[in-house]
Amino acid sequence: MLRLPPYALVFASLFTLVYFFLTHEGLYAIDDHFYSRYAYQLATGTFHLGPDPRGLLHDPLHERVLIFAPVALLYRWFGVDIITTTLWPLLCTLGCLVLFWVLYHRREPLAAAAAILLLGLHYFSLNLSNYLYPDNILMFWCLASAAALLVGRRAARAPSIWGASFALLTFAALLSKETIVYYFPFYAFLLFRDLLARHNYRFWGVAVGTGVLLLAGYLVIYQFYTNDALYRIHLIERTNEFLKEGNYLVGNRDALVARITWQPLEFFLSTGLGGVLALAVAALLSKRPASDTDTGFWLGLSFTTLAFYWLGSTSLTHYNPITLLPRMTTPLLPPLCLAAGFGLRNFVQTGRGGWLLGGALLAAAAWVRSSVSLVYAGLSLYFFVAAWWAGPAKRATGTVAFASLALLAVGLCTAIRPVYFMRKPSVLSHFDQNRIFRQHLQAPARGVVFVDDFLIDNYDFYYSYQVPPGLTFRRYTAADSVQLGPGQHAWLLLNRSTLTNDELTRKLIRYSEQDVLARFPKRRTIAEAGKVTLYEVR
């Protein structure tokens, strides 16, 4: 059994690296461009800690320092490009798998291997590994914080160090994204339980003391730079107020009942977490020896966090449940995958519950009726066959072969979706577009480049935020209003991947390739890379 965790870790890590490179799309939205720009400002000494001095931008992303500060270091060391921009979320994704291995590769090897595969091959954790979004970074700090709490409360040696580490890691999570607060009810429960039982005084004393000092220093910094110690909270509330037309308080009130009843379950099933949830519930319902406190810890953290995702609010002033998006749930994934790992361990050891697990997953496949149904159908088939094979006599249960087959089934089924997306063509053609920029749109070229409505907001990234002074960028629609000066040229940059991207054409891009070319009838092809073409136009 001890060989299973390292095999799972190596496989999941290599799979993550392959996914990272094969599916990389560059900057995908406003958020990652903002984080990248803040990293560049921090690396060059132009970052402004307080509010926008012009009073134009009140941005919560600006306050998530541990999202872009490590990227700023990478920019200083290796320069600005898309790999240095997204290396930090990749490292955090891999770091979660390593933490699973460190925690349990000896004590609970089967649970560790299962958790590594369930998290490491989950499509949406992989999907967030190559974007500069806060979610996988937060996931790492959340797992590290919870692990420090788990180990520190039972450590016979150096409880003060563990307490300080727990506080520092929790604070690091807070500097990444505010959703760490969904862990706090469980943390508070353990604090009060230990106080009542008169346990772990030194650990909690140091943890709380360190946390108070860190938080006090944080508030003092905000008071100094913004004249508002609670600036970050007030900024979030202002953002909620600005977006109220789309939240559950104003713009979506009729959907509130569905949002807090059946929609979260449908959401988790549709994102591929049905198997993880089924195994976690199986762990919850299994009989556990009194010495097995770890299962209870991860189950408690999983289901209290899940309750806040289900019923909690993103605002302190009104009730507004969190938006059900896969990237919002990453703090839930590590404890839930560990709980599921213990659930699979119980099944492998006892052979009990296989028919129920198979039935639950078959029902999930019938409910979602999408490509995810294939994942659930495969897992359901495994549990039915494994339960039949074990039989009433529980033959082969607890063996390395039985455990290996269970992990193989979980790994193969979970990997179906990411493998499918690894085989799909690029939807933004970032690297082809970058090649055009590098080879043809550099100084001493002078003139105007006409680009689409997606690229107009982030073209400066292709120049490491140092756009040649002789070049300006305008939207396609500005073609008729641009007057060229002496020695200037005009270019049309056409990215066919962007123009046919379903996510962009729904809201941002309202024109086709033919519409764009009709605006520039006099054109000459300068360069072509994949689906990206550069024309000189007149």
Side-chain angles (χ1 to χ4, degrees):
M1 290 286 187
L2 291 176
R3 293 183 178 181
L4 297 177
Y7 288 160
L9 178 63
V10 170
F11 174 74
S13 299
L14 291 176
F15 191 92
T16 301
L17 290 171
V18 171
Y19 183 93
F20 178 86
F21 287 105
L22 288 184
T23 66
H24 212 305
E25 296 287 0
L27 297 181
Y28 200 79
I30 294 176
D31 290 19
D32 47 358
H33 183 231
F34 275 18
Y35 288 127
S36 173
R37 180 181 288 276
Y38 293 147
Y40 174 75
Q41 291 172 355
L42 195 60
T44 55
T46 57
F47 181 76
H48 185 72
L49 186 59
D52 186 342
R54 298 168 297 171
L56 300 177
L57 180 64
H58 298 282
D59 178 20
L61 310 185
H62 182 270
E63 314 310 313
R64 298 170 179 173
V65 179
L66 279 188
I67 303 302
F68 53 85
V71 179
L73 288 176
L74 293 172
Y75 284 175
R76 290 289 298 271
W77 295 336
F78 306 111
V80 180
D81 63 37
I82 198 58
I83 301 303
T84 55
T85 299
T86 52
L87 184 60
W88 176 227
L90 172 66
L91 292 176
C92 288
T93 306
L94 295 173
C96 290
L97 308 183
V98 172
L99 282 177
F100 283 169
W101 180 83
V102 170
L103 283 171
Y104 290 116
H105 73 283
R106 292 190 182 278
R107 298 178 64 240
E108 293 287 355
L110 180 54
I116 288 169
L117 293 177
L118 288 169
L119 180 66
L121 305 183
H122 177 55
Y123 168 67
F124 285 106
S125 63
L126 287 167
N127 177 255
L128 291 163
S129 68
N130 53 16
Y131 295 116
L132 186 54
Y133 273 54
D135 307 287
N136 279 19
I137 300 168
L138 172 67
M139 179 172 70
F140 171 75
W141 293 121
C142 286
L143 175 58
S145 165
L149 175 60
L150 172 71
V151 176
R153 289 176 64 245
R154 69 182 181 209
R157 302 172 61 181
S160 298
I161 294 177
W162 283 110
S165 300
F166 168 61
L168 287 167
L169 291 167
T170 305
F171 187 67
L174 186 63
L175 293 180
S176 301
K177 196 177 180 182
E178 303 78 14
T179 327
I180 179 62
V181 299
Y182 284 9
Y183 276 30
F184 288 0
F186 183 70
Y187 288 175
F189 166 76
L190 293 182
L191 169 61
F192 286 113
R193 193 176 75 169
D194 282 356
L195 290 178
L196 290 175
R198 299 181 179 180
H199 291 159
N200 301 313
Y201 277 169
R202 182 175 296 179
F203 171 85
W204 284 115
V206 173
V208 173
T210 304
V212 169
L213 288 175
L214 289 170
L215 188 59
Y218 189 58
L219 297 179
V220 167
I221 290 173
Y222 269 112
Q223 181 64 39
F224 179 78
Y225 281 99
T226 69
N227 292 318
D228 181 4
L230 301 178
Y231 172 79
R232 190 172 176 187
I233 294 175
H234 295 153
L235 180 57
I236 294 170
E237 293 298 343
R238 285 199 295 271
T239 304
N240 280 327
E241 178 67 20
F242 177 75
L243 299 173
K244 66 182 179 182
E245 294 300 326
N247 68 21
Y248 291 97
L249 181 69
V250 178
N252 208 15
R253 181 186 291 270
D254 294 339
L256 180 59
V257 173
R259 167 60 185 82
I260 62 176
T261 52
W262 57 268
Q263 273 188 358
L265 178 59
E266 182 180 60
F267 163 74
F268 285 115
L269 293 180
S270 67
T271 56
L273 290 174
V276 176
L277 285 171
L279 287 167
V281 171
L284 179 67
L285 298 178
S286 299
K287 292 183 179 179
R288 301 188 299 275
S291 59
D292 185 11
T293 57
D294 286 21
T295 304
F297 178 91
W298 297 113
L299 282 169
L301 182 56
S302 296
F303 287 108
T304 54
T305 306
L306 180 61
F308 273 82
Y309 273 103
W310 208 299
L311 302 171
S313 175
T314 62
S315 172
L316 297 174
T317 59
H318 57 262
Y319 185 61
N320 182 47
I322 194 169
T323 306
L324 290 177
L325 292 174
R327 66 184 182 86
M328 300 294 186
T329 63
T330 52
L332 177 63
L333 295 181
L336 197 60
C337 288
L338 278 168
F342 285 109
L344 187 66
R345 176 207 63 182
N346 294 345
F347 170 72
V348 168
Q349 289 179 347
T350 66
R352 290 193 293 267
W355 294 106
L356 290 175
L357 284 168
L361 290 165
L362 189 61
W367 186 353
V368 297
R369 295 184 182 180
S370 68
S371 58
V372 186
S373 297
L374 183 62
V375 177
Y376 295 149
L379 288 172
S380 174
L381 178 62
Y382 161 73
F383 280 111
F384 282 145
V385 171
W388 168 79
W389 175 255
K394 308 302 179 191
R395 58 189 174 197
T397 57
T399 64
V400 173
F402 198 63
S404 300
L405 285 174
L407 293 174
L408 182 63
V410 167
L412 288 176
C413 292
T414 309
I416 289 175
R417 292 191 78 196
V419 167
Y420 168 75
F421 283 98
M422 281 192 277
R423 293 170 58 86
K424 292 185 68 175
S426 173
V427 296
L428 288 180
S429 295
H430 166 80
F431 293 99
D432 291 333
Q433 188 162 263
N434 186 58
R435 193 174 304 119
I436 295 290
F437 271 94
R438 296 286 184 188
Q439 295 177 358
H440 301 280
L441 296 174
Q442 298 290 331
R446 296 177 61 248
V448 180
V449 185
F450 295 102
V451 298
D452 57 64
D453 288 79
F454 176 73
L455 184 57
I456 193 66
D457 291 324
N458 60 36
Y459 66 85
D460 54 352
F461 177 80
Y462 290 86
Y463 295 102
S464 301
Y465 299 106
Q466 295 178 322
V467 181
L471 290 176
T472 58
F473 287 74
R474 300 292 297 274
R475 288 180 169 87
Y476 297 146
T477 53
D480 296 334
S481 62
V482 172
Q483 298 294 323
L484 296 178
Q488 288 189 325
H489 298 268
W491 296 273
L492 165 65
L493 184 60
L494 190 71
N495 186 330
R496 294 172 180 83
S497 295
T498 300
L499 297 184
T500 55
N501 184 315
D502 290 341
E503 292 189 26
L504 297 178
T505 54
R506 282 199 296 265
K507 292 183 179 181
L508 183 64
I509 293 178
R510 305 284 187 174
Y511 39 80
S512 66
E513 175 186 350
Q514 291 72 28
D515 296 331
V516 176
L517 293 178
R519 265 183 199 278
F520 303 91
K522 297 180 180 180
R523 59 185 183 273
R524 179 173 64 91
T525 301
I526 300 298
E528 191 164 7
K531 292 186 177 183
V532 184
T533 305
L534 180 68
Y535 301 94
E536 185 173 9
V537 296
R538 298 188 297 275

